[in-house]
Amino acid sequence: MNPDTALIDRLNAMGLQLPAAPKPQALYAPWSIHPLGANGSSSLVVLSGQTCRRNGVPMVGICRAESDVVPAREAAQIAALNALALLHAACEGRLERVKRLLRLRGFVASSADFTLHSQVLDGSSELLKVAFPDLPLPARTAVGVSSLPAGCWVEVELEA
């Protein structure tokens, strides 16, 4: 079985579909690829931040209380799904080329007294674990911010 087909099947089992790669919302590159090693046999792919948009529609919210963790966690999952779609495009439709997930950075729209950022970002980590079950999870940062583009709950960056 094609490794990408298996990944798509795992996502479908979660009720998710790999969307088309999101288009930049402003003036920036969607990803940057940096050759590694003496012969350039591998590369580092750095993705631009991806927000929680379903079919281009932002999932809007701000974390203020523990009751906001569940919807924000779902938004983190969708942001990671969008990052995965972008990674798929950067890898020319061959996610089996991904050998390591290095870093996941997550930004959570939240009030100053909200402290459950890591629980929100678990939505992104769980999606990546389903997508790449044989790879270790990446190092991760979860940060609270006062606002995000289009009022989104979450934005994530991924390096692979």
Side-chain angles (χ1 to χ4, degrees), residues 21-34 44-53 78-90 103-107 148-149 154-160:
K23 303 287 186 222
Q25 300 292 311
L27 186 60
Y28 59 88
W31 64 78
S32 179
I33 299 177
H34 309 275
L44 170 66
V45 179
V46 178
L47 302 179
S48 291
Q50 296 303 302
T51 56
C52 49
R53 294 175 189 261
I78 297 304
L81 185 64
N82 289 332
L84 186 61
L86 199 59
L87 183 60
H88 185 257
R103 177 179 293 277
L104 173 66
R105 285 184 192 92
F107 305 91
L148 287 168
V154 175
E155 181 172 351
V156 299
E157 298 174 349
L158 184 63
E159 297 173 13

Side-chain angles (χ1 to χ4, degrees), residues 3-144:
D4 279 357
T5 303
L7 180 146
I8 290 168
D9 288 346
R10 290 190 299 275
L11 292 176
N12 291 344
M14 293 177 67
L16 299 171
Q17 292 185 341
L18 189 65
K23 303 287 186 222
Q25 300 292 311
L27 186 60
Y28 59 88
W31 64 78
S32 179
I33 299 177
H34 309 275
L36 299 175
N39 61 1
S41 61
S42 62
S43 298
L44 170 66
V45 179
V46 178
L47 302 179
S48 291
Q50 296 303 302
T51 56
C52 49
R53 294 175 189 261
R54 283 191 174 132
N55 302 314
V57 178
M59 298 172 72
V60 175
I62 186 164
C63 291
R64 290 181 168 80
E66 187 173 346
S67 61
D68 295 323
V69 169
V70 171
R73 189 178 182 126
E74 180 184 356
Q77 180 184 67
I78 297 304
L81 185 64
N82 289 332
L84 186 61
L86 199 59
L87 183 60
H88 185 257
C91 292
E92 300 171 337
R94 296 179 48 218
L95 283 170
E96 76 271 8
R97 295 171 63 188
V98 175
K99 303 301 179 206
R100 186 72 193 245
L101 301 172
L102 299 172
R103 177 179 293 277
L104 173 66
R105 285 184 192 92
F107 305 91
V108 179
S110 59
S111 61
D113 59 343
F114 183 79
T115 62
L116 302 174
H117 309 88
S118 290
Q119 289 182 28
V120 171
L121 261 291
D122 282 347
S124 293
S125 294
E126 289 166 357
L127 181 102
L128 293 175
K129 193 63 185 163
V130 167
F132 300 103
D134 299 328
L135 297 182
L137 285 170
R140 187 178 89 179
T141 302
V143 177

